[in-house]
Amino acid sequence: MNFTPTYSGWENDKEQYLKYSFVSKSIYNKEIAEKILEKITRKQQLHDGDRSHSSLKRLDNLNCTYRGWEIDRIEFEKHFCENISDLNIENIYIGMKRKQALHLGDRSDPLLRKFDDREFTYPGRKSDTKEFLRIYESGSNSAKMRLETMQDKQWKFDSSIKVLLGFIILFITWTWISDMD
C-alpha cells in the first residue's frame, strides 16, 4: 500500500489487508489482499471526491429524480466500495435506471412492454404483479422468470376455464337432448 488512507474506518481495512498480504503467501490470500486493497482504494477515492471511475461516472450521468433515489445512490456507492463485484453494482444501476424510467412514465423496456401486452386474470395476479414490479425495479434478471411464471399461471387458468366451459356445454346439451326424449 503506497498511500495512507484518510476515510473513516480505514484502520480496520488496513489491518485486514496486512493480515492477508503478509501472514501467508498463498495465492488465495494474495487474491483476498488484492480485493481488500481495491476496496481501500475505492473508499479513499470516494472520500476524496474523485468520481473518475467509469462506474461512478455512469451513476452520476443517470440524473435520478424518483422517490428514494438518494438511498439507492448510497447503496450503489457502498457496493462499489465493499463488494468489488461489477455484477452487484450493475444490478443496482439497472434497478435505478428502471425506477427512473417508471417514474417518468417510460415503459419502453422490452420486458415491461411484454408485461403490459398481457392481460392477467387468474386468481393471485395482483400479488404476482406487485412481486414482478418489485423484482423488475431491483434490476434483477429474475423479473423475466417471474413474468414467465405469470404467463404459465394465466395459461393454466385459461385452459381450466375452457375445460369447465366444455363440460357445461356438454351437460346442457345432454340435458336438452334428454328433455327431448
Side-chain angles (χ1 to χ4, degrees), residues 112-161:
L112 201 52
R113 280 199 329 259
K114 190 174 182 179
F115 173 78
D116 289 342
D117 289 345
R118 251 346 261 270
E119 183 180 345
F120 296 105
T121 58
Y122 66 88
R125 69 188 173 278
K126 288 181 182 176
S127 62
D128 284 353
T129 296
K130 285 179 186 175
E131 183 65 9
F132 167 79
L133 290 172
R134 186 193 66 73
I135 294 169
Y136 175 81
E137 286 180 348
S138 76
S140 172
N141 291 331
S142 61
K144 182 180 178 185
M145 290 184 288
R146 172 56 83 173
L147 180 57
E148 289 169 358
T149 300
M150 291 174 71
Q151 289 172 324
D152 287 347
K153 286 181 177 182
Q154 185 63 46
W155 181 83
K156 289 174 184 173
F157 179 73
D158 290 344
S159 297
S160 65
I161 294 294

Side-chain angles (χ1 to χ4, degrees), residues 29-147:
N29 283 345
K30 249 184 176 176
E31 288 174 5
I32 293 173
E34 287 172 12
K35 289 289 186 188
I36 294 169
L37 183 57
E38 187 176 351
K39 175 174 83 169
I40 291 170
T41 303
R42 287 183 175 193
K43 283 183 173 182
Q44 187 62 42
Q45 182 181 7
L46 270 179
H47 177 74
D48 292 342
D50 177 3
R51 301 184 72 81
S52 61
H53 191 281
S54 60
S55 294
L56 295 174
K57 284 181 179 181
R58 262 179 64 182
L59 175 67
D60 292 342
N61 289 331
L62 198 50
N63 297 323
C64 292
T65 58
Y66 65 89
R67 185 175 183 203
W69 71 268
E70 298 94 342
I71 295 168
D72 290 344
R73 180 186 178 107
I74 291 167
E75 189 70 15
F76 180 97
E77 291 173 348
K78 177 183 157 203
H79 281 271
F80 170 77
C81 292
E82 294 292 335
N83 292 330
I84 318 299
S85 168
D86 291 335
L87 179 61
N88 285 340
I89 59 175
E90 183 64 18
N91 283 347
I92 295 170
Y93 176 80
I94 290 170
M96 291 177 73
K97 196 172 174 181
R98 287 177 173 178
K99 287 176 187 178
Q100 182 64 23
L102 287 172
H103 174 70
L104 297 174
D106 177 4
R107 298 181 75 86
S108 62
D109 181 278
L111 185 60
L112 201 52
R113 280 199 329 259
K114 190 174 182 179
F115 173 78
D116 289 342
D117 289 345
R118 251 346 261 270
E119 183 180 345
F120 296 105
T121 58
Y122 66 88
R125 69 188 173 278
K126 288 181 182 176
S127 62
D128 284 353
T129 296
K130 285 179 186 175
E131 183 65 9
F132 167 79
L133 290 172
R134 186 193 66 73
I135 294 169
Y136 175 81
E137 286 180 348
S138 76
S140 172
N141 291 331
S142 61
K144 182 180 178 185
M145 290 184 288
R146 172 56 83 173
L147 180 57

Side-chain angles (χ1 to χ4, degrees), residues 3-16:
F3 64 94
T4 302
T6 57
Y7 63 86
S8 176
W10 70 268
E11 296 89 352
N12 292 337
D13 292 339
K14 183 178 179 181
E15 188 178 308
Q16 247 189 339

